[in-house]
Amino acid sequence: MTILQSNSPTNLEFNPRHPSFDLINSLKKDWHGDSAFRTAWYNALSMLFPIGEKFFIDSVLHFKKEITDPKLLDEIKNFQGQEAIHRLQHQQYNELLCKLRGYDLEEFEEPLRKRMSWVQKNLPPRRQLAGTAAAEHLTAIMAHRMLTKKDSFIDADQNIAKLWYWHGIEETEHKSVAYDVYCAVGGTIHERRRALLVSTFFLYKDVFRNIYLILKKDGKLWNLKEWMSGFKFMFITPGVIPHMIIPWLKYFRKNFHPWNMDNRYLIKQWEDGHFDNPSETMSY
């Protein structure tokens, strides 16, 4: 008798998509409402994805042999496919961005690459998987906030907004895969709670380091107007951080599961074309 290890909705199915985006005329400018900070926020996030997504894939696949549930095995396969395409798309995004704006890609990637290498050499595989499950929770709640609020991409370049919406939808679809694998191989509540604290620290540390490098290169590091705009963006409108606090805290519940928040309606909205114009993003 097969033991059920996947706890995603029974009728949830997802597969890798192969989108294409025309970004060359978009990335050369401050594409998010002419705001250097808002643009830097998303560009800084993108710099983390190619290396981070590879780590996520590796940590999940390490335990594939211990999974017997056909549904979770299929989800692992499609998780791997989606994350691999995310890596490719963001690597192209990052290389083009650096070429157009004179950034040094290695300067962004080297610290993260060294840390991931250290983690893979020194931490047990299940602890690495706990970190992946925590990071997937962070990306999932960031995606949910981005997809449900109309102010996420107001005045932003539509071509780049489409890339972020696509990424957010796929993060939503596979948000429980790493978590279900972690639970299936005996992951503990204490370990996953600790992993979220560590993952959150390094996410914001890495993002703000990248923002610092971007604004410095752009000659706007000491621009008070940009930092005031950034504070408003992060804490007031749209308020990136306050909207993440409650879903972030839910990860510490004993009975937490990513699909306790069933937001499959966002996938359908996206498939129906409601995100084609960023100003028309639907809010619930």
Side-chain angles (χ1 to χ4, degrees):
M1 180 177 177
T2 301
I3 298 175
L4 296 179
Q5 295 170 311
S6 170
N7 288 293
S8 65
T10 54
N11 60 346
L12 175 71
E13 296 182 2
F14 59 90
N15 293 282
R17 301 174 179 86
H18 299 269
S20 61
F21 305 98
D22 182 10
L23 304 180
I24 192 165
N25 292 320
S26 305
L27 286 176
K28 66 177 61 174
K29 61 188 179 183
D30 287 338
W31 56 266
H32 200 308
D34 293 322
S35 166
F37 187 95
R38 294 202 303 269
T39 300
W41 166 261
Y42 286 99
N43 290 346
L45 274 173
S46 182
M47 292 294 183
L48 304 180
F49 289 136
I51 295 171
E53 306 277 24
K54 182 181 185 304
F55 177 84
F56 300 161
I57 292 170
D58 291 345
S59 67
V60 169
L61 290 183
H62 180 88
F63 291 97
K64 185 177 179 180
K65 60 185 179 295
E66 299 184 33
I67 303 304
T68 57
D69 181 356
K71 186 173 190 294
L72 185 53
L73 284 169
D74 187 61
E75 290 173 342
I76 290 171
K77 180 189 72 173
N78 291 315
F79 166 84
Q80 179 184 7
Q82 287 187 336
E83 296 289 53
I85 296 170
H86 295 177
R87 284 187 64 206
L88 176 62
Q89 289 287 351
H90 282 280
Q91 189 66 38
Q92 294 173 345
Y93 179 119
N94 298 344
E95 290 175 359
L96 180 59
L97 175 69
C98 290
K99 179 180 178 181
L100 292 171
R101 304 195 62 158
Y103 304 149
D104 181 356
L105 183 57
E106 183 62 21
E107 187 176 16
F108 291 101
E109 291 187 339
E110 184 180 15
L112 181 59
R113 185 181 295 110
K114 287 182 176 179
R115 188 168 74 245
M116 293 297 97
S117 177
W118 184 91
V119 167
Q120 290 181 314
K121 290 177 182 177
N122 293 280
L123 296 185
R126 200 179 75 183
R127 191 166 168 188
Q128 296 179 40
L129 181 60
T132 292
E136 286 291 301
H137 178 60
L138 291 171
T139 56
I141 62 178
M142 291 171 72
H144 181 80
R145 193 261 171 262
M146 179 182 71
L147 294 166
T148 54
K149 299 300 179 181
K150 294 182 179 180
D151 52 12
S152 295
F153 287 108
I154 288 178
D155 298 326
D157 183 278
Q158 187 172 347
N159 291 317
I160 301 182
K162 286 180 177 179
L163 180 148
W164 285 101
Y165 284 141
W166 156 76
H167 192 157
I169 287 295
E170 294 201 344
E171 290 297 327
T172 300
E173 289 177 324
H174 68 234
K175 65 181 178 177
S176 70
V177 176
Y179 186 89
D180 282 342
V181 173
Y182 175 73
C183 292
V185 299
T188 67
I189 295 173
H190 172 74
E191 194 173 39
R192 71 167 164 87
R193 288 170 172 169
R194 179 178 62 183
L196 183 63
L197 294 172
V198 173
S199 297
T200 303
F201 170 78
F202 279 110
L203 171 67
Y204 284 102
K205 173 182 175 293
D206 291 341
V207 169
F208 279 99
R209 174 186 179 273
N210 289 350
I211 290 173
Y212 167 84
L213 293 174
I214 289 169
L215 294 181
K216 181 179 179 182
K217 179 64 179 178
D218 291 347
K220 297 181 179 179
L221 183 60
W222 303 110
N223 187 316
L224 181 60
K225 180 181 177 181
E226 285 298 340
W227 283 103
M228 291 178 65
S229 173
F231 180 86
K232 180 181 178 182
F233 172 75
M234 296 300 296
F235 294 100
I236 303 174
T237 303
V240 174
I241 290 179
H243 286 282
M244 290 180 61
I245 292 174
I246 292 177
W248 183 85
L249 287 171
K250 289 180 179 179
Y251 198 78
F252 293 90
R253 293 178 175 174
K254 289 184 179 180
N255 64 344
F256 171 82
H257 188 271
W259 283 108
N260 288 346
M261 180 177 68
D262 190 345
N263 55 355
R264 283 174 290 168
Y265 67 89
L266 292 169
I267 301 168
K268 186 174 188 309
Q269 286 180 7
W270 183 81
E271 290 175 339
D272 290 344
H274 291 298
F275 293 91
D276 288 347
N277 184 338
S279 66
E280 295 178 358
T281 306
M282 300 177 74
S283 178
Y284 282 73

